Amino acid sequence: MTDCPFCRIVARQSPADVVYEDDAVLAFKDIYPKAPVHLLIVPKRHIASLLDASEADVDTLGRCVLAARRLAETTGYAGKGFRLSVNTGPEGGQVVYHVHFHFTAGRRSRTDV
Ligand code: 5GP
Ligand code: ZN
């Protein structure tokens, strides 16, 4: 059993509200949403942070971005827009060390950060 909370969700050892899945990517609702729509898009394979990403992860990370496009369409926010962000490291605000893309929508994002 892994200590990583997102690996546990991927393995279905912890519950999550899954909104998208393919062979490389899982997306689920953030447990503490900070926007009207707040989803987390994660590679199924454990990558601790973007600082650990390598050439071998290019396809998987690209598929996370394509999952965001798909989620924009399925949630109805393709027209209004959304934000995709990856917190990295302590000063980047990363708390869970399994790469995840925050997909937030439903309110205007600040443009100065
Ligand atoms: P970070 O600060 O690492 O970029 O973001 C971690 C995010 O994961 C936070 O928004 C937090 O609410 C969310 N989160 C942490 N643990 C869980 C969990 O067990 N389930 C779900 N669905 N979200 C989680
Ligand atoms: Zn993990």
Side-chain angles (χ1 to χ4, degrees):
M1 190 170 282
T2 172
D3 284 341
C4 172
F6 291 173
C7 281
R8 289 175 54 78
I9 288 172
V10 167
R12 301 302 208 273
Q13 292 167 346
S14 295
D17 201 341
V18 172
V19 294
Y20 173 78
E21 179 171 21
D22 63 32
D23 56 330
V25 173
L26 190 73
F28 49 90
K29 294 183 180 175
D30 195 292
I31 201 165
Y32 300 119
K34 287 128 199 126
V37 177
H38 189 172
L39 308 174
L40 300 173
I41 304 168
V42 309
K44 285 188 170 176
R45 185 150 49 90
H46 182 88
I47 306 166
S49 93
L50 272 191
L51 291 170
D52 298 290
S54 71
E55 289 289 329
D57 302 312
V58 166
D59 183 66
T60 302
L61 294 173
R63 291 179 54 187
C64 288
V65 175
L66 281 184
R69 191 210 66 195
R70 185 187 291 254
L71 286 165
E73 292 163 355
T74 57
T75 57
Y77 281 95
K80 286 184 173 175
F82 61 94
R83 170 171 281 191
L84 195 62
S85 55
V86 184
N87 298 332
T88 304
E91 292 201 1
Q94 186 174 8
V95 174
V96 177
Y97 277 77
H98 178 133
V99 167
H100 51 282
F101 292 73
H102 291 262
F103 177 105
T104 51
R107 68 165 185 223
R108 184 169 291 272
S109 293
R110 294 174 57 181
T111 53
D112 59 342
V113 289

